Amino acid sequence: MTLQIRKLSYALGAEITGVDLGKPLDDATFGEIQRAFLEHHVLVFRGPPFTRAQYVAFGRRFGELDTNETYAADKKAPEFPQITLVVSKPKPNGEAATGRFNGQDWHTDHSHLPDPCSATLLHNIELPGLGGDTQFCNMYRAYETLSDGMKKLLEGLHAVHMESVVLDRSTPERYAEARRLNPSTAHPIVRVHPETGRKALYVSDQIKTLVGMTAEESKPLLRFLVEHAVRPQNVYRHIWQKNDLVMWDNRCLLHIALGDYDRTQVRHMEKMTVNGNRCGYTYDGPLE
Ligand code: SIN
């Protein structure tokens, strides 16, 4: 069987069939997958099941995998530190899980670091009966559909990325400690993809402020840019099937987990990230 590629939406995404990720891939087949990845930004593999060891071997073809040193041992797959467990399950008494869940705002993985991961791979193990979808947004299209005036305004601007956390501001010491534990990074608001050379908008819901501006000044522009980006015509909604492996390019996409399911049910994903190149700098300046 030969590899087949089928586009999943106008904006982005392609389904790959005819490839068995449980077997070593020859260079020609891997080259086709790499080209498809750069062209479609999200790849959905619907092939025969594979083991964790085979999953890691496939991920390694794309570069060095993060071993998630800062993660607690119970958040990683035993013997495979490259695989983190993204699991939502009901409370022990069977009631629906509550509170935040992984990936619930528009973001791009690890953008709070100066060298965010280039790609993410997410493998489904268990799905709720209905929903649990993930959406992806094409940030090349978001950039390319801005006016020339806006593109000019954004030239040279940097945005401060930080994970979605509430910082303890009760005392200056606690605030300093919260900042230390939650690093922030300034990235260019327009990012040049290191492999395609194309420009993509690099904004998300996880931005605190623009460098050199107050949060109040920054907010309306950032809100406009995210809303402009995530219009339906730039978005693909992935409806998971059991055993899907989805991989995406963080350098030109945002994604969001919709949480559109009954949280008395289990949703279990296994995630890996491919280390990326340095494109930002550690930011210790004001966030207000
Ligand atoms: C993520 O945001 O990395 C996870 C997305 C998902 O679980 O659908």
Side-chain angles (χ1 to χ4, degrees):
M1 198 175 177
T2 51
L3 180 145
Q4 284 151 348
I5 301 172
R6 181 177 72 88
K7 263 181 82 84
L8 290 169
S9 80
Y10 180 65
L12 73 148
E15 179 191 68
I16 307 282
T17 48
V19 55
D20 183 351
L21 300 184
K23 298 201 174 122
L25 297 177
D26 60 69
D27 288 344
T29 306
F30 183 69
E32 271 190 81
I33 291 173
Q34 261 188 321
R35 280 190 292 280
F37 185 56
L38 293 178
E39 186 178 342
H40 301 290
H41 329 309
V42 168
L43 297 182
V44 177
F45 293 90
R46 290 187 162 138
F50 47 84
T51 64
R52 282 177 172 157
Q54 290 162 339
Y55 185 29
V56 170
F58 176 64
R60 278 202 180 118
R61 296 292 301 262
F62 294 90
E64 192 189 336
L65 297 175
D66 193 349
T67 49
N68 306 298
E69 300 302 328
T70 58
Y71 279 59
D74 66 348
K75 300 274 181 237
K76 300 193 253 194
E79 292 170 41
F80 294 100
Q82 303 89 346
I83 301 178
T84 56
L85 308 174
V86 182
V87 182
S88 173
K89 52 183 179 208
K91 294 178 179 168
N93 64 3
E95 283 177 13
T98 48
R100 282 189 67 80
F101 55 90
N102 198 276
Q104 70 176 48
D105 45 18
W106 282 107
H107 67 285
T108 164
D109 285 338
H110 302 179
S111 69
H112 61 291
L113 300 175
D115 46 359
C117 51
S118 55
T120 300
L121 295 88
L122 198 62
H123 179 212
N124 169 259
I125 306 297
E126 188 171 348
L127 274 179
L130 198 64
D133 303 351
T134 309
Q135 285 190 322
F136 299 91
C137 171
N138 183 332
M139 299 302 274
Y140 287 134
R141 283 176 55 86
Y143 176 74
E144 287 158 8
T145 52
L146 291 170
S147 65
D148 289 343
M150 180 57 81
K151 286 180 185 158
K152 208 164 166 44
L153 186 74
L154 300 183
E155 265 172 38
L157 280 185
H158 285 69
V160 179
H161 296 241
M162 183 184 255
E163 283 190 305
S164 298
V165 287
V166 179
L167 298 172
D168 184 346
R169 294 167 188 271
S170 54
T171 65
E173 293 73 28
R174 287 189 188 156
Y175 181 63
E177 179 63 359
R179 289 291 301 270
R180 194 185 66 73
L181 293 173
N182 297 283
S184 49
T185 292
H187 285 289
I189 208 166
V190 178
R191 185 172 176 187
V192 178
H193 193 293
E195 292 187 72
T196 65
R198 288 175 69 187
K199 287 183 178 173
L201 204 52
Y202 200 59
V203 294
S204 76
D205 284 335
Q206 296 188 340
I207 292 179
K208 291 284 183 198
T209 189
L210 294 168
V211 176
M213 295 188 198
T214 64
E216 202 178 3
E217 288 167 339
S218 309
K219 231 172 240 168
L221 178 57
L222 291 166
R223 179 59 23 223
F224 162 75
L225 291 172
V226 174
E227 280 172 6
H228 165 81
V230 302
R231 289 171 304 155
Q233 59 267 45
N234 292 342
V235 169
Y236 162 65
R237 178 175 186 147
H238 185 65
I239 299 174
W240 291 86
Q241 292 179 19
K242 190 153 171 60
N243 196 46
D244 276 355
L245 166 58
V246 175
M247 70 176 291
W248 64 86
D249 191 336
N250 288 298
R251 300 162 295 187
C252 59
L253 293 185
L254 291 182
H255 63 282
I256 186 170
L258 294 183
D260 56 337
Y261 64 99
D262 174 357
R263 292 187 76 196
T264 63
Q265 299 179 4
V266 176
R267 182 178 186 270
H268 179 155
M269 304 287 189
E270 300 203 345
K271 177 170 174 170
M272 298 195 297
T273 52
V274 181
N275 292 341
N277 67 310
R278 193 176 183 88
C279 53
Y281 62 89
T282 303
Y283 175 86
D284 299 316
L287 298 176
E288 293 74 31

